[in-house]
Amino acid sequence: MTKTEKLAALYKQANRLNDELPAELIKKMEVQGRILELIGGLWAEATKDWKLAEAKRRETIATIYSLDPEGTVKDREMKAEMAAAEWRRKEAEYEAEALRWKAAYVATQETIQILKKKYEHMKEVARGGV
């Protein structure tokens, strides 16, 4: 089972739990914690892919620029940039993926905080508070 499949199963499990029942709310927080853990791993993998693509782009530019002494500096720069265009596209795709997982991570953290507040409120009401 892939990480995204595990993630989908955990989301499904979390959505089945009732927020109005304290025991299920605690279970939901546990499930959200596992979701957060998986998303953190996916964010790290996406960031690694992004940085590796950036390194490959820079390496390609440096290699083409330094090994092709023909033409003006501007010509050499343009040849190097053209040679690295595919890596620049991949870098952008991987960066977008990393940012997507980062946003999911932050959103899951916020969900957990909301669930914690809800649980604290339930405890307060059970004690006779407001």
Side-chain angles (χ1 to χ4, degrees), residues 52-68 76-88:
L52 288 174
E54 178 184 18
K56 188 65 178 171
R57 173 185 57 83
R58 290 174 182 263
E59 177 187 339
T60 301
I61 288 171
T63 300
I64 298 298
Y65 187 82
S66 64
L67 296 180
D68 186 6
R76 293 169 64 203
E77 285 174 0
M78 289 301 103
K79 285 179 192 176
E81 285 293 335
M82 287 177 8
E86 180 61 30
W87 285 109
R88 189 172 295 280

Side-chain angles (χ1 to χ4, degrees), residues 27-93:
K27 180 68 175 163
K28 190 170 196 167
M29 284 189 272
E30 291 173 8
V31 172
Q32 288 290 340
R34 287 188 287 169
I35 288 170
L36 189 66
E37 191 177 323
L38 276 174
I39 290 173
L42 290 165
W43 178 15
E45 288 174 17
T47 301
K48 180 184 111 188
D49 291 342
W50 167 23
K51 295 303 179 178
L52 288 174
E54 178 184 18
K56 188 65 178 171
R57 173 185 57 83
R58 290 174 182 263
E59 177 187 339
T60 301
I61 288 171
T63 300
I64 298 298
Y65 187 82
S66 64
L67 296 180
D68 186 6
E70 298 298 315
T72 65
V73 169
K74 193 65 177 168
D75 289 338
R76 293 169 64 203
E77 285 174 0
M78 289 301 103
K79 285 179 192 176
E81 285 293 335
M82 287 177 8
E86 180 61 30
W87 285 109
R88 189 172 295 280
R89 280 189 289 281
K90 285 183 182 183
E91 183 182 351
E93 289 172 16

